[in-house]
Amino acid sequence: MSRKNSVNAVGEAYDLYADMLYRLALTHLRSAHDAEDAVHDVFIKYHLASHLLKDDEHKRAWLIRSTVNRCHDLLRRQKIRNHLSLDDVGNTAFAHESRADDALDVTAALNALPEKMRTVIVLHYLEGFTVEEITLMLGISASAVKMRLSRGRDLIKEVLTK
Amino acid sequence: MIFNEEQRQNYKSIKAPDALKASVMNDVSAKSSRHSYKRYVAVAACLVVALVSAFVPHFGSDAPIAHQARRYALAEMPYSVAEFPHLSGNELTAVLDFAVEGEAVISVDCGMVCLQGGASQASQLKIDGNAQITWIIREPQQTEAYTLTVKIGQKSYSSRLEFDSLQQSWLIESN
């Protein structure tokens, strides 16, 4: 792939998936700044890997999986460095968004979920992906996806009804 | 559905900041040009190595290769080097094969020359036709350069014997 083509490929993928990846990163990292960093890193990595991905479905799956993995990495580092307390994280979440307040009840519910469950809930109930698509994206079995959806649903209902 | 339509719409209304795209595309372009630049540098470096290898005599401990290069340098001379200059005790000896038609006068500015197997040594020697000559210099100085001159008719050929500090050996080169 020529230099110009590979740069264009990143631009096209960005236009298609950046918002979704950013939202996904935001639900994990709960910080607009960290979510930007994660998405930025994922697209830089994508620039080097895009020629290996055979079709749009694989590209999307790769981007989502890479974003989730990048979020896990950043969260691990945050835990190690202990830079942010949980209260700080909650306060910075969605801070720059004009509609942040409207989204807070959703994020509050998502924050109550363990990370693995949160990813599956977001992809299925908020982004609208099917179980089969999530299976491909996360590289886990369909039964594992269904199990996480079921448990996540129960936890979220508890939070939202409080 | 655990989230209602409004909650989903609110969630979906969250967009990546505009500045993020500019930042990503800038970095991708920069990385891409750095990658291309590195490829060109690598190709250029390979070409330079290939050219240098082709035109510069080989230096190092591999004496026969060095000597072949020196023999090439003497190609226009009426002789070739049969034994390269080597120290034996305090004597530096070089053996040269002459291929001349008619008479030739060989003279050296230091040391002696003699016909191979011959007893007499002198600073000047006359040969007729092909001959093998030994050039001997006693206690040679590494800082000095010694000259051998061959006169064939009106033509004169001159060679220099000197110590090459890089190769740490004595070498003969045409002047």
Side-chain angles (χ1 to χ4, degrees), chain A residues 3 6-7 10-11 14-15 18-19 22-24 26-27 36 39-40 43-44 47 94 96-97 99 102 105-106 110 121-122 125-127 153 156-157 160, chain B residues 1-4 6-37 39:
Chain A
R3 183 193 153 202
S6 72
V7 174
V10 175
Y14 186 95
D15 291 339
D19 291 340
Y22 178 72
R23 288 192 294 268
L24 184 61
L26 210 48
T27 58
E36 280 180 43
V39 173
H40 178 274
F43 276 104
I44 297 297
H47 167 57
F94 302 99
H96 74 293
E97 291 296 334
R99 304 182 73 171
D102 297 334
D105 55 345
V106 176
L110 291 172
I121 292 283
V122 166
Y125 289 113
L126 293 171
E127 297 294 349
R153 235 177 358 243
I156 282 178
K157 274 178 191 166
L160 291 178
Chain B
M1 277 291 182
I2 53 172
F3 300 113
N4 61 36
E6 192 186 356
Q7 285 171 324
R8 276 204 302 278
Q9 289 305 317
N10 286 344
Y11 176 81
K12 287 234 173 184
S13 68
I14 298 168
K15 307 282 181 201
D18 292 339
L20 181 57
K21 185 174 184 183
S23 163
V24 167
M25 298 314 290
N26 277 344
D27 285 2
V28 165
S29 296
K31 274 191 186 291
S32 189
S33 38
R34 265 205 301 275
H35 185 68
S36 307
Y37 169 76
R39 191 163 39 189

Side-chain angles (χ1 to χ4, degrees), chain A residues 30-88:
Chain A
R30 305 174 219 177
S31 152
H33 185 261
D34 288 348
E36 280 180 43
D37 282 350
V39 173
H40 178 274
D41 293 350
V42 166
F43 276 104
I44 297 297
K45 221 169 119 186
Y46 177 80
H47 167 57
L48 303 172
S50 61
H51 66 286
L52 302 171
L53 306 168
K54 55 185 179 183
D55 53 37
D56 289 345
E57 196 182 2
H58 278 88
K59 286 174 184 174
R60 186 180 64 187
W62 186 95
L63 284 165
I64 289 174
R65 199 188 304 186
S66 297
T67 303
V68 171
N69 290 340
R70 185 67 188 137
C71 289
H72 289 168
D73 288 346
L74 290 172
L75 284 171
R76 260 200 304 273
R77 284 185 200 176
Q78 279 179 1
K79 280 176 189 166
I80 292 166
R81 290 175 187 168
N82 202 19
H83 272 177
L84 295 171
S85 71
L86 281 175
D87 290 340
D88 290 337

Side-chain angles (χ1 to χ4, degrees), chain A residues 108-152:
Chain A
L110 291 172
N111 288 349
L113 298 175
E115 270 178 50
K116 285 180 180 175
M117 241 176 251
R118 192 185 312 154
T119 307
V120 175
I121 292 283
V122 166
L123 292 175
H124 184 67
Y125 289 113
L126 293 171
E127 297 294 349
F129 292 112
T130 65
V131 171
E132 287 73 28
E133 285 171 322
I134 297 170
T135 298
L136 175 67
M137 287 168 191
L138 302 182
I140 55 176
S141 68
S143 59
V145 173
K146 286 174 187 169
M147 176 80 77
R148 289 178 196 184
L149 283 175
S150 168
R151 289 182 181 170

Side-chain angles (χ1 to χ4, degrees), chain B residues 13 16 26 50 52 62 73 75 85 92-93 100 103 144 146 151-152 164:
Chain B
S13 68
N26 277 344
V52 168
D62 196 353
L92 178 65
T93 305
V100 293
E103 281 191 349
E144 298 287 322
Y146 306 106
K151 275 194 171 180
I152 304 171
D164 187 322

